[in-house]
């Protein structure tokens, strides 16, 4: 597989330094991509870079994933309007371990292949660097004029807020540049990959390598992903979409991809899956013929949920998304976990009821009119039951005065009430 050709048709190249393609055709090449370990999980904004590394390895080249233990202590100022919070070493180490576990789903770290992936941490080579040695051995090779000319620096210094930039953040591009120099010298790394916002930092590295040892070094960036409507990719009302299932449940993760627009689905399926050009073209054609079936979104959601989580998580997410209208809904409801249940029922009106009432066998009519006002009166409830319009946990109610028992509870805590075809309520037992 030709790496540049593959990234080009997938729409994953923004800028590329001259000579990059020739270098990759000449020999197996080592490239690195930096990941900022400010959290103990990647989010989907990181996935473009991770997919670049994945395609790079599939093309026969060697990927290095650099977790920035040192640079993470500073915070990359590129295109940011404010200083970042500094993290302590213990937090950074924890975050790095969690990130490596996630990256192992995308990259082969463990085989004995010559292009097996490696994880490196710039804290390992920066921690013993004295300030004096750094400014003498590294700083003297790059002029302040060169550093000031970077767009990300100019934007920050000339910004409306006029907060300026600390020396700590100004020095960031020099430290990242040294990472490239170090990896070039120690691991023969000749290419740095990153997002388009990293171009200034990356080219500082290629310049440093050229000035220090005249070595070959190249740069390639991917575009920053946006939504078709110009909105920010990867953000929902509840925040970022994370890869860690404890932060974003597999069900919510699956739903995010399932609900993207047609235009975004056509773009994202190229970037976030390994599907071939032919498979994607066929799906695009199917979408044009019958957009209501949404084959692009369904396949995109499947591929990426399986890759990030597992086949079982994908199947559970599909099942959960059918709860509200599946004929197997009752069975599914008793099977799914609490997080998924709450995610499915997001936005559904909720009532808190006492566990003592359920355990004492409160009549359903009393529960749904007095303890939780699903109905305004028992007469209204009786009519609904007579018309076959009331269900508890997707099971039709035939007797409004039936007594409740703890066996009725989902996850020992919840009761799902359906009133008519579309009105749902979630009772939370305290």
């Amino acid at each position: 597989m030709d790496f540049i050709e593959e990234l080009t048709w997938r729409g994953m190249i923004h800028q590329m330094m001259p000579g990059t393609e020739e270098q990759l055709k000449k020999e197996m090449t080592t490239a690195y991509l930096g990941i900022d370990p400010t959290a103990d999980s990647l989010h989907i904004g990181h996935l473009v870079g991770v997919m670049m590394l994945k395609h790079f390895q599939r093309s026969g080249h060697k990927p290095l994933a650099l977790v920035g233990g040192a640079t993470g202590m500073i915070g990359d100022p590129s295109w940011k309007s404010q200083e970042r919070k500094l993290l302590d070493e213990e937090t950074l180490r924890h975050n790095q371990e969690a990130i490596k576990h996630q990256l192992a789903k995308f990259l082969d770290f463990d085989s004995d292949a010559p292009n097996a992936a490696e994880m490196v941490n710039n804290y390992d080579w920066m921690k013993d660097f004295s300030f004096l040695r750094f400014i003498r051995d590294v700083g003297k090779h790059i002029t302040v004029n060169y550093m000031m000319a970077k767009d990300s620096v100019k934007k920050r210094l000339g910004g409306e807020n006029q907060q300026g930039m600390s020396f700590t953040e100004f020095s960031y591009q020099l430290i990242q540049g040294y990472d490239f120099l170090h990896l070039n010298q120690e691991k023969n790394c000749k290419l740095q990959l990153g997002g388009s916002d990293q171009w200034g930092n990356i080219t500082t590295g290629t310049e440093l390598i050229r000035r220090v040892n005249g070595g070959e070094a190249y740069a390639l960036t991917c575009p920053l992903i946006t939504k078709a409507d110009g909105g920010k990719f990867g953000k929902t009302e509840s925040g970022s979409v994370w890869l860690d299932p404890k932060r974003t449940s597999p069900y919510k993760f699956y739903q995010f991809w399932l609900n993207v627009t047609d235009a975004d689905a056509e773009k994202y399926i190229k970037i976030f899956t390994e599907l071939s050009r032919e498979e994607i073209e066929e799906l695009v054609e199917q979408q044009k013929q019958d957009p209501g079936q949404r084959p692009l979104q369904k396949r995109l959601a499947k591929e990426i949920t399986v890759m990030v989580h597992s086949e079982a998580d994908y199947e559970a997410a599909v099942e959960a998304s059918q709860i509200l209208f599946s004929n197997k809904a009752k069975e599914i409801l008793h099977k799914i976990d609490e997080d998924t249940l709450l995610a499915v029922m997001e936005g559904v009106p909720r009532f808190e009821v006492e566990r003592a009432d359920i355990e004492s066998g409160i009549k359903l009519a009393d529960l749904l009119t007095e303890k939780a006002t699903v109905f305004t009166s028992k007469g209204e409830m009786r009519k609904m039951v007579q018309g076959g319009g009331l269900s508890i946990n997707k099971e039709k109610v035939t007797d409004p005065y039936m007594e409740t028992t703890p066996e009725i509870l989902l996850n020992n805590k919840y009761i799902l009430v359906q009133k008519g075809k579309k009105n749902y309520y979630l009772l939370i037992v305290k």
Side-chain angles (χ1 to χ4, degrees):
M1 189 177 96
D2 183 291
F3 179 65
I4 302 298
E5 195 179 295
E6 186 75 9
L7 258 57
T8 301
W9 78 259
R10 290 183 182 275
M12 292 174 74
I13 295 183
H14 182 73
Q15 288 166 295
M16 180 169 65
M17 197 169 272
T20 303
E21 193 165 6
E22 291 75 9
Q23 167 61 33
L24 295 176
K25 284 180 175 169
K26 186 170 74 177
E27 61 187 358
M28 183 185 87
T29 302
T30 299
Y32 95 89
L33 177 125
I35 295 168
D36 189 1
T38 45
D40 62 358
S41 173
L42 302 173
H43 54 71
I44 59 174
H46 291 109
L47 276 183
V48 191
V50 174
M51 290 304 293
M52 285 172 83
L53 287 181
K54 187 173 179 67
H55 291 307
F56 194 70
Q57 190 171 42
R58 286 175 66 216
S59 304
H61 300 293
K62 184 177 179 69
L64 303 177
L66 181 146
V67 176
T71 38
M73 288 180 166
I74 298 172
D76 182 0
S78 299
W79 311 106
K80 306 286 191 309
S81 59
Q82 294 177 331
E83 290 268 335
R84 302 274 286 280
K85 287 181 182 172
L86 309 188
L87 299 179
D88 60 73
E89 188 184 346
E90 187 183 345
T91 304
L92 286 164
R93 289 289 183 196
H94 164 74
N95 293 354
Q96 287 151 24
E97 283 309 305
I99 288 169
K100 180 165 186 183
H101 178 69
Q102 291 179 340
L103 287 175
K105 294 191 173 188
F106 297 85
L107 302 171
D108 167 21
F109 286 98
D110 299 323
S111 79
D112 54 4
N115 70 326
E118 284 182 48
M119 176 167 270
V120 292
N121 177 359
N122 59 12
Y123 184 73
D124 293 336
W125 56 83
M126 291 301 298
K127 67 179 187 293
D128 298 324
F129 227 136
S130 75
F131 178 69
L132 286 175
R133 200 176 122 228
F134 186 80
I135 59 173
R136 187 192 67 188
D137 295 353
V138 181
K140 69 176 181 182
H141 295 287
I142 300 290
T143 66
V144 170
N145 299 30
Y146 178 87
M147 294 170 75
M148 294 276 287
K150 300 292 183 182
D151 285 343
S152 55
V153 174
K154 283 196 289 191
K155 184 172 186 290
R156 181 70 169 272
L157 294 177
E160 291 174 16
N161 59 19
Q162 294 297 313
Q163 285 181 354
M165 177 187 264
S166 68
F167 175 76
T168 304
E169 286 198 333
F170 182 61
S171 66
Y172 185 95
Q173 62 170 291
L174 205 53
I175 297 170
Q176 184 171 324
Y178 180 73
D179 287 342
F180 200 176
L181 174 63
H182 176 86
L183 293 172
N184 178 263
Q185 291 172 333
E186 299 297 318
K187 294 188 179 289
N188 196 29
C189 178
K190 295 183 178 178
L191 172 63
Q192 187 178 165
L193 307 169
S196 57
D197 60 334
Q198 289 295 305
W199 183 256
N201 291 338
I202 295 173
T203 50
T204 297
T206 61
E207 184 67 11
L208 189 59
I209 290 167
R210 189 181 66 75
R211 293 187 184 186
V212 170
N213 59 22
E216 298 173 280
Y218 304 94
L220 188 154
T221 62
C222 61
L224 294 182
I225 306 303
T226 55
K227 295 197 292 188
D229 64 5
K232 194 163 185 179
F233 167 73
K235 292 279 185 184
T236 65
E237 284 180 18
S238 53
S240 296
V241 179
W242 299 90
L243 273 55
D244 185 335
K246 292 192 287 293
R247 286 172 174 256
T248 299
S249 71
Y251 169 78
K252 274 192 170 179
F253 186 85
Y254 168 77
Q255 285 290 323
F256 172 82
W257 300 102
L258 192 64
N259 291 312
V260 299
T261 64
D262 289 2
D264 285 335
E266 190 171 334
K267 179 166 77 168
Y268 296 166
I269 202 163
K270 294 175 186 172
I271 296 169
F272 298 111
T273 77
E274 289 181 84
L275 294 179
S276 69
R277 196 172 193 166
E278 294 70 34
E279 286 174 287
I280 290 173
E281 284 169 357
E282 192 179 322
L283 286 163
V284 170
E285 190 53 42
Q286 287 173 20
Q287 188 96 347
K288 282 179 187 161
Q289 300 300 327
D290 189 357
Q293 286 300 310
R294 310 175 83 243
L296 274 174
Q297 284 93 336
K298 286 176 183 172
R299 190 63 186 278
L300 168 66
K302 176 181 180 178
E303 292 290 321
I304 198 156
T305 304
V306 170
M307 185 157 52
V308 169
H309 296 292
S310 70
E311 188 87 38
D313 286 321
Y314 159 71
E315 286 166 3
V318 173
E319 267 196 334
S321 55
Q322 295 170 344
I323 281 174
L324 302 185
F325 34 78
S326 164
N327 54 9
K328 291 199 291 184
K330 186 173 74 166
E331 180 189 320
I332 298 167
L333 264 178
H334 286 278
K335 226 168 53 174
I336 65 171
D337 60 80
E338 182 178 9
D339 287 346
T340 306
L341 176 68
L342 292 175
V344 174
M345 296 302 149
E346 196 169 7
V348 166
R350 298 177 182 193
F351 296 101
E352 289 187 2
V353 296
E354 295 297 325
R355 186 170 292 274
D357 287 330
I358 304 297
E359 289 174 349
S360 66
I362 186 172
K363 289 182 172 60
L364 202 56
D366 295 330
L367 179 68
L368 299 184
T369 57
E370 295 169 15
K371 304 297 181 180
T373 53
V374 173
F375 294 95
T376 54
S377 70
K378 291 175 185 172
E380 182 199 357
M381 181 177 161
R382 277 198 305 273
K383 279 184 191 170
M384 183 68 74
V385 171
Q386 286 162 5
L390 178 64
S391 295
I392 296 292
N393 300 338
K394 281 294 184 176
E395 198 163 352
K396 281 264 188 287
V397 173
T398 55
D399 175 10
Y401 294 101
M402 65 177 269
E403 292 187 351
T404 60
T405 66
E407 283 69 48
I408 201 175
L409 301 180
L410 303 170
N411 286 290
N412 195 33
K413 190 176 177 184
Y414 304 98
I415 301 170
L416 179 64
V417 180
Q418 183 179 0
K419 173 184 171 185
K421 280 190 177 177
K422 293 182 179 174
N423 297 310
Y424 287 91
Y425 304 87
L426 191 65
L427 274 52
I428 302 169
V429 181
K430 293 290 185 181

